[in-house]
Amino acid sequence: MELLRLGPIGHEIPAVRHEGVCFELRPLFGDIDPNFFAADGIGRVRSALDAGELNPLDGAEEMRIGAPLTRPSAIVCVGMNYAAHAREAGAEPPERPVIFFKMPSTIAGPNDPLELPPDATKADWEVELGVVIGSRAFRVASVEEGLNHVAGYVLGNDLSERRLQLEESGGQWSKGKNLPGFTPLGPWIRPAAEVDPGDLRLRSWVNGEARQDSSTSDLIFSVGEIIFQLSQAMAFEPGDVILTGTPQGVALSGKYPYLADGDVVELELEGLGRHRQVVTVTE
């Protein structure tokens, strides 16, 4: 089962794809948003599918694929969560999760153009496993309980402007993470029951050349561990997104150039689909 939002920007239609057929969800929910997850949206969609209560969405295959959720209260990101990536960034693997935040306004569809201002000279790609929270998580008691709060998983690109992140940061990372469109998500959310988050291959390419190729088995802090540790200090709400970190192979390593006008960034995460973003430098 794959949860999607299809249609023009700002007018996406919530949908579910099941056994190759795309069904409209508007009879059940106005959108895939925090209210959807708080109301056990995935369970209700599954019941409606089983009962044959949903109608196919006409023209779904021709529609733009938007981000599969909207208006999360928070996007919480974990930095340096793969040991090799931490070292290519000039740091040792952390003993505790390193976190930063992205604004919900950074969310974009998986194939939307990536528009950069002319001074974004060090834009970088980061393929990541995204976690969608299904129920409020605060001071959870264990790693296992942390996983019980997950609604589903999504492919994300944690785009970064390294000059703003590291050279003009004011001592924090978020400044370089929050340009418009810097969190492409999708193409779908797959329910947690259908995914093993601890063993997924994730890859990236720029202009068809391989950049990253790793597995979530190399995460320093697993999904359950991230939720367990962070929930001791913050409350996750339904619909919130956690980006779990990226493996080695980014431009920050010095091995590859930063993104430029006309570049094509592609990402893939096993079972969670692909992205394709064409870079455009705006005036």
Side-chain angles (χ1 to χ4, degrees):
M1 186 170 84
E2 300 161 357
L3 296 170
L4 308 99
R5 297 171 66 250
L6 305 173
I9 294 173
H11 301 280
E12 292 90 346
I13 298 170
V16 59
R17 186 160 55 209
H18 179 63
E19 296 180 350
V21 179
C22 208
F23 298 92
E24 185 175 346
L25 292 181
R26 282 185 295 188
L28 289 179
F29 294 97
D31 212 336
I32 300 174
D33 58 12
N35 291 331
F36 173 91
F37 294 102
D40 186 26
I42 289 177
R44 290 174 61 182
V45 169
R46 195 180 305 277
S47 296
L49 283 170
D50 291 343
E53 296 172 350
L54 299 177
N55 294 319
L57 177 59
D58 292 337
E61 298 307 317
E62 288 74 45
M63 292 182 179
R64 166 188 169 269
I65 302 173
L69 55 72
T70 187
R71 297 188 297 277
S73 69
I75 304 171
V76 181
C77 307
V78 183
M80 299 189 295
N81 200 19
Y82 290 79
H85 173 59
R87 293 193 176 100
E88 76 176 352
E92 287 301 309
E95 296 182 1
R96 297 278 186 178
V98 175
I99 65 166
F100 57 92
F101 296 90
K102 301 190 84 165
M103 299 167 64
S105 60
T106 63
I107 292 176
N111 303 315
D112 290 347
L114 174 57
E115 297 183 356
L116 300 177
D119 59 349
T121 56
K122 293 186 177 181
D124 207 348
W125 60 90
E126 296 189 33
V127 59
E128 305 204 9
L129 171 65
V131 180
V132 182
I133 297 295
S135 58
R136 191 173 194 267
F138 182 54
R139 295 184 178 176
V140 303
S142 66
V143 171
E144 292 73 22
E145 183 184 335
L147 286 173
N148 292 338
H149 292 273
V150 177
Y153 296 94
V154 64
L155 168 59
N157 190 354
D158 172 24
L159 288 157
S160 310
E161 210 294 327
R162 303 299 190 186
R163 180 180 59 84
L164 293 174
Q165 179 191 355
L166 302 173
E167 299 170 25
E168 300 181 16
S169 67
Q172 48 71 45
W173 289 358
S174 292
K175 185 176 179 181
K177 298 282 190 172
N178 280 287
L179 288 169
F182 261 39
T183 314
L185 296 176
W188 56 72
I189 296 168
R190 190 174 294 281
E194 301 178 9
V195 179
D196 176 3
D199 188 20
L200 300 174
R201 188 181 185 187
L202 66 172
R203 296 185 286 175
S204 68
W205 300 261
V206 177
N207 300 326
E209 297 181 357
R211 292 292 185 261
Q212 297 169 280
D213 189 350
S214 188
S215 169
T216 56
S217 62
D218 292 333
L219 284 167
I220 298 171
F221 304 104
S222 68
V223 171
E225 184 71 29
I226 291 168
I227 297 171
F228 167 64
Q229 289 206 29
L230 297 186
S231 74
Q232 306 310 309
M234 64 183 71
F236 292 101
E237 300 294 342
D240 285 355
V241 175
I242 302 172
L243 295 179
T244 59
T246 200
Q248 66 178 331
V250 298
L252 181 63
S253 67
K255 296 178 181 179
Y256 310 109
Y258 288 105
L259 295 174
D261 191 57
D263 284 347
V264 178
V265 182
E266 295 174 279
L267 314 176
E268 183 177 77
L269 181 50
E270 184 180 352
L272 295 173
R274 290 180 65 95
H275 286 199
R276 185 180 188 274
Q277 292 122 28
V278 179
V279 178
T280 301
V281 177
T282 60
E283 295 298 329

